[in-house]
Amino acid sequence: MWYDLFDPITGLPFVETPRSLMLTLNIDWFAPFDSGYSCGAIYLVCNNLPRTDRFKTENVILIGVMPGPKEPSTYEINSYLEPLVDSLLRLFNGITIPTYQEPNSTLIHAALLNIACDIPAARKVGGFTSHNSTRAYHKCTREFVVFPGTSNLDYSGIIIDREHGLRTHASNAPAAAQWLEARTQAARTRIERETGTRWSQIHRLLYFDLIRSVLIDPMHNLFLGTADRMVGIWREHGLLTNANGFDMQKLADGIVLPPGVPSLNRKIERKFGFMTAADWKAWCLVYSPFVLKDKLPAAHLNNWMNFVDACCIPSKTSITYQEIDDAD
């Protein structure tokens, strides 16, 4: 994708024009108080910087903060995205500003390369229906059905026909425009149900392919989802007891942790309470292979270790096509 965006004037790859920056957009919500009040941060990072530098606090570009007390629902986020998109449109055409190397001003270009939010935020920012809708997967046209007699969706058996089953920018953009032009909420709801698409301010960036460039976040599925659920299952079936929890905590406290890995101080012995996504990731990839070794029956441990091995691959900073197949 780095070389797939072309400068409309020169016809060369956008990044080959001097001082052309590629940006990643992230939006996430946080609780500034203990009362459930939620604020949102809109920020950018510059992918031209080395990976080791781009996420340092001094290099993150804070665009704005969305006030609470709750997250904006669905398309309401467009009110906050509009001024950002206005700026991105200007930056794509280029602006002249002084820089450290060129104090008398020089031309700077910037473009949005991708959107890297967690799944709920990505759906809102990208103009897709939510992760629990019948059109939950923004990469394909699959419509998920409800289990008979329930309100739960059946996500099983997803096999994508790469010829006809993938969503494309060519089909997504017109559906978003149709949603914007719809005069009634009923018409918009019908378009959402049929296409899984809403209008987003990001659609104004005509060079930006939302289908391709909204990245898939593994956090909710793998760590806040499966890892959490498996611990619950082990406890429900008596495979892990309170006594096991104290023993595992003692083992965990003796591990010398690599930089950046959070300590699970007392969280294991407290039945994994108050675990963040980072905690679950650390439990899965660092702690569990060691502390579960003599606690789970062999068949269950082997099954879990297959999951750990699979999680190690998408958690890396870069992966090959072969590794994608290995993880699958």
Side-chain angles (χ1 to χ4, degrees), residues 161-183:
D161 178 352
R162 298 191 70 83
E163 287 275 334
H164 307 291
L166 292 177
R167 288 203 214 183
T168 65
H169 179 66
S171 62
N172 183 62
Q178 187 181 11
W179 186 96
L180 182 64
E181 293 166 2
R183 297 299 182 187

Side-chain angles (χ1 to χ4, degrees), residues 29 38 40 66-67 70-78 80 124:
W29 282 268
S38 184
M66 294 175 281
K70 301 296 182 185
E71 297 180 18
S73 61
T74 60
Y75 61 89
E76 291 172 350
I77 200 171
N78 281 318
Y80 301 102
K124 292 179 180 180

Side-chain angles (χ1 to χ4, degrees), residues 291-307:
V291 303
L292 288 174
K293 187 174 181 181
D294 297 319
K295 298 296 182 288
L296 285 182
H300 291 275
L301 180 61
N302 290 338
N303 184 51
W304 173 253
M305 288 307 301
N306 282 333
F307 176 70

Side-chain angles (χ1 to χ4, degrees), residues 223-238:
F223 302 122
L224 285 175
T226 304
D228 184 5
R229 179 67 180 131
M230 285 308 302
V231 169
I233 289 172
W234 294 331
R235 294 186 65 85
E236 288 170 20
H237 291 269

Side-chain angles (χ1 to χ4, degrees), residues 71-75 118-140 142-144 151 153 155 167 179 188-189 191-199 214 220:
E71 297 180 18
S73 61
T74 60
Y75 61 89
D118 66 19
I119 289 173
R123 296 297 185 271
K124 292 179 180 180
V125 176
F128 302 110
T129 53
S130 69
H131 62 283
N132 57 2
S133 68
T134 56
R135 301 281 185 178
Y137 187 29
H138 79 282
K139 298 282 188 181
C140 81
R142 171 75 176 266
E143 182 176 12
F144 297 97
S151 59
L153 290 170
Y155 295 113
R167 288 203 214 183
W179 186 96
R188 288 183 168 179
T189 301
I191 294 167
E192 292 171 9
R193 191 179 300 116
E194 292 175 354
T195 67
T197 301
R198 300 185 182 99
W199 167 260
V214 173
H220 283 80

Side-chain angles (χ1 to χ4, degrees), residues 93-273:
N93 293 324
I95 61 171
T96 301
I97 58 173
T99 69
Y100 178 79
Q101 292 178 328
E102 300 286 348
N104 293 324
S105 296
T106 187
L107 190 63
I108 303 289
H109 294 266
L112 190 63
L113 175 66
N114 53 43
I115 294 172
C117 309
D118 66 19
I119 289 173
R123 296 297 185 271
K124 292 179 180 180
V125 176
F128 302 110
T129 53
S130 69
H131 62 283
N132 57 2
S133 68
T134 56
R135 301 281 185 178
Y137 187 29
H138 79 282
K139 298 282 188 181
C140 81
T141 59
R142 171 75 176 266
E143 182 176 12
F144 297 97
V145 298
V146 177
F147 282 112
T150 74
S151 59
N152 300 322
L153 290 170
D154 179 6
Y155 295 113
S156 65
I158 178 167
I159 300 174
I160 301 174
D161 178 352
R162 298 191 70 83
E163 287 275 334
H164 307 291
L166 292 177
R167 288 203 214 183
T168 65
H169 179 66
S171 62
N172 183 62
Q178 187 181 11
W179 186 96
L180 182 64
E181 293 166 2
R183 297 299 182 187
T184 65
Q185 185 56 49
R188 288 183 168 179
T189 301
R190 176 184 56 79
I191 294 167
E192 292 171 9
R193 191 179 300 116
E194 292 175 354
T195 67
T197 301
R198 300 185 182 99
W199 167 260
S200 165
Q201 283 286 330
I202 304 296
H203 283 285
R204 291 169 54 206
L205 302 174
L206 299 182
Y207 64 84
F208 191 76
D209 183 344
L210 277 156
I211 300 299
R212 188 183 186 196
S213 302
V214 173
L215 307 186
I216 299 172
D217 148 53
M219 179 185 73
H220 283 80
N221 188 335
L222 299 181
F223 302 122
L224 285 175
T226 304
D228 184 5
R229 179 67 180 131
M230 285 308 302
V231 169
I233 289 172
W234 294 331
R235 294 186 65 85
E236 288 170 20
H237 291 269
L239 299 174
L240 286 184
T241 64
N242 290 340
N244 293 147
F246 287 109
D247 291 342
M248 291 191 300
Q249 186 68 67
K250 196 171 181 180
L251 289 170
D253 291 343
I255 296 175
V256 178
L257 297 172
V261 175
S263 168
L264 298 187
N265 182 34
R266 303 202 67 186
K267 291 184 178 181
I268 297 175
E269 67 181 46
R270 291 177 173 176
K271 303 178 184 179
F272 295 85

